[in-house]
Amino acid sequence: MKKLVALVFALFTLIFISGCGVGGDDLSKISKTIPTYNMDIVYNDEEKKLEVNQVLDYINTYDTSLDEIYLHLYPKSFNLDAVNKPVGVLTKEKAYYNGDSEGDILIADVKCDAEVEAITYTGDDEDFLKIELTSAVAPGERLQVEFDYEVVIPNCNHRFGYGENTINLGNFYPVLAVFEDGQYSLNPYHSNGDPFYSEVANYNVTITAPEKYIIASTGSMTDSSVVDGVQTVSYEAKVCRDYAFVMSEKYSVASTTIEGVEVMYYYYEDDNYEKHLQASVDALVTFNELFGRYPYSTLSVAKTNFVHGGMEYPNLVYISDDDMADADYINVIVHEIAHQWWYGVVGNDEYVNSWLDEGLTEFSTNLFYENNPSYGVNADDVVKNLTKNYATFVDVYSTILGEVDTSMNRALDEYDTEPEYVYVTYVKGNLFFNSLREMIGKDKFMQGLKEYYNEYKYLVATPEGMMGVFEGVTGTDLSQFFSSWIEGKIDIIEIK
């Protein structure tokens, strides 16, 4: 009887979340049916470490019983002897500007309120924690897992690491691996792209750190206090796909509230901070109108030490402090905010289908400029230049290698070089969406994007799911169009 009740509960959960994806934004209701991460974090400034107590209130949201649970331990890839490095050869020197520096996550203790058969580390870099249970967790059933661990932060300008200006803390904690198609998705870290895949969860986080640090975080601040120069700040984030925070003693903060969202820009050495806050606001307002409402109450844009242009997390985006033209800086802001819709709210497996969020985010950036001519960027010219650049990429690779793989349906570890990944995922992905709009017409295309957002809100989208949405809007079989682009059958001449 217990298992029957759990199965009915799990079925209700899936139906309810799907329904909310279509028309609801009641995060409080959805939050009751998904896992919750409770983290108490103490930052040691002298040793550049975190001491963390994490209590995972787990719920089996799948339609099958599970006798094992896997969690990603992403900081393991920052070990100096890691097999799967977080930084490629082309960017290593820039990321590790002071030379090699090690990061790690060291689990001291794991407790579970169910009987545990075994706890082991797996993966090339022991970057997965496997918890085997004596009795399977039925659909809808819950259990609690408590971790005590230390996080060693590397001196590295990356998602996870500290630099001259900021301490970046993304992907630092044990996070549940996704279970799909009868197995867990256990792809490791990779230097190409964003090698992450997670489902929505709730986060209750308390951070204790020296008072001198200003903190930019996923979620909304719920409490704060200062005692003897030490601050304790609490955040709550409901129905978010990930959690991250950034700290800096150099931050100033500019903020405003628009359409019910507090937009905050964390910056240093920025004479144009008001302009960059306004770009953040304009991006939020534009994408609200084009795709559907941003469902959260805060959006933080944080300037950081970061080897790449930017990085997206729910309610929080990194913008690199690397020396770049102001127009490029704004472009990164717009791109990363677009990710709040494509990756943040509408999820996808970024390891396997990276073009699905990156290509659409790049195209969404084009849409921003179309709808905001005051920024002085001609979206048509952008498409023309991208087409020429892509043609050059294909020509150069064909000349040097004799052939070039232009397929988009490749996992991150299937791209031979970082430039190949960028051109196929970002550039060709952008051109794919532009071509789809030209073929089905602007009105149907924009209707399709809104329906795609509503249908997959808080869920995980796939290329097949996206195609199904556009086929429903147009009443047209789009399988040949999608396959020709995704599988690399289309020739560059056809998109000039």
Side-chain angles (χ1 to χ4, degrees):
M1 184 64 182
K2 182 179 178 182
K3 288 189 175 181
L4 177 61
V5 171
L7 181 59
V8 171
F9 176 81
L11 181 61
F12 170 79
T13 297
L14 293 173
I15 292 172
F16 181 80
I17 293 178
S18 297
C20 288
V22 172
D25 284 322
D26 195 338
L27 301 182
S28 293
K29 289 183 179 179
I30 301 172
S31 70
K32 293 178 173 62
T33 64
I34 57 177
T36 297
Y37 296 82
N38 301 287
M39 290 188 277
D40 190 352
I41 302 169
V42 178
Y43 171 65
N44 183 323
D45 196 26
E46 183 177 348
E47 297 185 17
K48 296 295 187 292
K49 293 180 179 179
L50 304 178
E51 297 290 342
V52 186
N53 172 261
Q54 176 176 317
V55 178
L56 171 62
D57 289 324
Y58 175 80
I59 177 171
N60 182 358
T61 59
Y62 305 108
D63 59 0
T64 187
S65 295
L66 299 173
D67 58 8
E68 58 187 22
I69 299 170
Y70 284 85
L71 297 102
H72 291 272
L73 304 176
Y74 288 118
K76 287 291 185 185
S77 293
F78 287 80
N79 282 333
L80 295 181
D81 59 352
V83 174
N84 301 297
K85 303 291 187 182
V87 179
V89 175
L90 297 178
T91 52
K92 180 180 179 181
E93 185 175 345
K94 183 178 178 182
Y96 292 95
Y97 61 97
N98 276 332
D100 288 342
S101 178
E102 186 159 80
D104 205 348
I105 180 169
L106 305 170
I107 308 291
D109 192 25
V110 181
K111 300 175 184 177
C112 187
D113 66 356
E115 189 173 344
V116 174
E117 185 73 22
I119 297 175
T120 55
Y121 295 91
T122 66
D124 291 337
D125 298 314
E126 296 190 337
D127 51 343
F128 294 95
L129 183 67
K130 179 182 180 181
I131 302 175
E132 298 177 73
L133 303 169
T134 302
S135 299
V137 182
E141 284 192 330
R142 298 172 181 264
L143 62 83
Q144 190 174 90
V145 185
E146 183 174 0
F147 309 86
D148 287 308
Y149 58 92
E150 179 182 87
V151 178
V152 180
I153 308 169
N155 185 196
C156 179
N157 289 334
H158 213 277
R159 305 176 181 94
F160 169 63
Y162 69 92
E164 296 297 322
N165 299 308
T166 64
I167 304 165
N168 299 341
L169 292 157
N171 313 106
F172 66 90
Y173 61 95
V175 60
L176 289 165
V178 177
F179 184 83
E180 60 182 2
D181 300 326
Q183 61 184 356
Y184 280 96
S185 176
L186 299 177
N187 289 310
Y189 214 112
H190 200 279
S191 58
N192 282 337
D194 305 329
F196 312 117
Y197 182 23
S198 56
E199 295 175 303
V200 292
N202 308 309
Y203 293 87
N204 299 309
V205 180
T206 296
I207 302 168
T208 300
E211 181 185 10
K212 65 181 180 180
Y213 286 108
I214 303 296
I215 303 173
S217 171
T218 295
S220 301
M221 184 188 297
T222 58
D223 193 21
S224 65
S225 63
V226 178
V227 177
D228 296 331
V230 177
Q231 63 176 319
T232 301
V233 188
S234 297
Y235 298 91
E236 179 183 65
K238 291 182 177 179
V239 196
C240 285
R241 204 163 296 278
D242 206 340
Y243 176 82
F245 68 104
V246 179
M247 302 193 300
S248 177
E249 57 185 302
K250 297 182 179 180
Y251 273 150
S252 295
V253 186
S255 66
T256 188
T257 299
I258 187 75
E259 297 185 359
V261 180
E262 184 181 11
V263 182
M264 293 165 280
Y265 177 49
Y266 295 78
Y267 67 94
Y268 45 87
E269 299 173 0
D270 188 349
D271 293 335
N272 293 320
Y273 71 89
E274 292 177 321
K275 181 180 179 181
H276 298 149
L277 174 63
Q278 187 60 50
S280 305
V281 168
D282 290 343
L284 175 66
V285 171
T286 299
F287 298 142
N288 269 347
E289 176 65 25
L290 293 179
F291 310 139
R293 296 280 296 190
Y294 176 79
Y296 307 108
S297 61
T298 63
L299 175 61
S300 295
V301 178
K303 190 172 185 178
T304 66
N305 299 127
F306 189 48
V307 67
H308 302 296
M311 179 63 197
E312 68 279 3
Y313 290 101
N315 318 156
L316 170 68
V317 298
Y318 296 0
I319 310 298
S320 175
D321 63 3
D322 197 13
D323 187 23
M324 66 176 94
D326 193 59
D328 294 331
Y329 191 85
I330 289 174
N331 192 77
V332 174
I333 290 175
V334 174
H335 173 98
E336 301 306 337
I337 290 178
H339 266 304
Q340 296 299 308
W341 281 257
W342 318 127
Y343 145 78
V345 179
V346 176
N348 64 287
D349 186 340
E350 296 181 285
Y351 200 97
V352 174
N353 295 307
S354 55
W355 68 270
L356 196 57
D357 65 294
E358 292 295 358
L360 184 51
T361 296
E362 280 289 90
F363 182 78
S364 298
T365 306
N366 292 1
L367 290 176
F368 171 84
Y369 293 123
E370 285 184 4
N371 287 271
N372 294 273
S374 63
Y375 282 84
V377 177
N378 187 305
D380 289 337
D381 289 342
V382 171
V383 172
K384 290 176 183 177
N385 289 332
L386 288 176
T387 303
K388 292 178 181 178
N389 291 340
Y390 182 77
T392 300
F393 154 74
V394 172
D395 183 58
V396 169
Y397 265 59
S398 297
T399 300
I400 296 174
L401 302 176
E403 61 180 357
V404 58
D405 185 353
T406 61
S407 62
M408 299 160 65
N409 58 344
R410 283 182 280 169
L412 296 181
D413 60 352
E414 296 177 306
Y415 290 94
D416 292 332
T417 66
E418 186 175 344
E420 181 184 1
Y421 161 76
V422 170
Y423 273 99
V424 173
T425 298
Y426 286 73
V427 179
K428 186 181 178 184
N430 190 341
L431 295 174
F432 163 80
F433 287 105
N434 184 72
S435 181
L436 178 60
R437 181 174 67 164
E438 288 184 352
M439 185 180 72
I440 67 176
K442 180 178 180 180
D443 291 343
K444 291 290 186 184
F445 179 83
M446 295 310 301
Q447 180 186 348
L449 279 189
K450 287 184 176 181
E451 292 195 13
Y452 175 65
Y453 179 68
N454 283 329
E455 183 167 339
Y456 287 97
K457 189 181 295 183
Y458 315 125
L459 303 175
V460 173
T462 62
E464 294 77 16
M466 171 184 277
M467 183 177 71
V469 171
F470 281 106
E471 286 183 335
V473 167
T474 61
T476 303
D477 182 356
L478 297 173
S479 58
Q480 287 190 339
F481 176 84
F482 268 72
S483 65
S484 66
W485 278 84
I486 294 172
E487 296 173 18
K489 298 176 183 176
I490 193 166
D491 188 89
I492 185 63
I493 296 174
E494 298 178 58
I495 60 173
K496 284 186 177 180

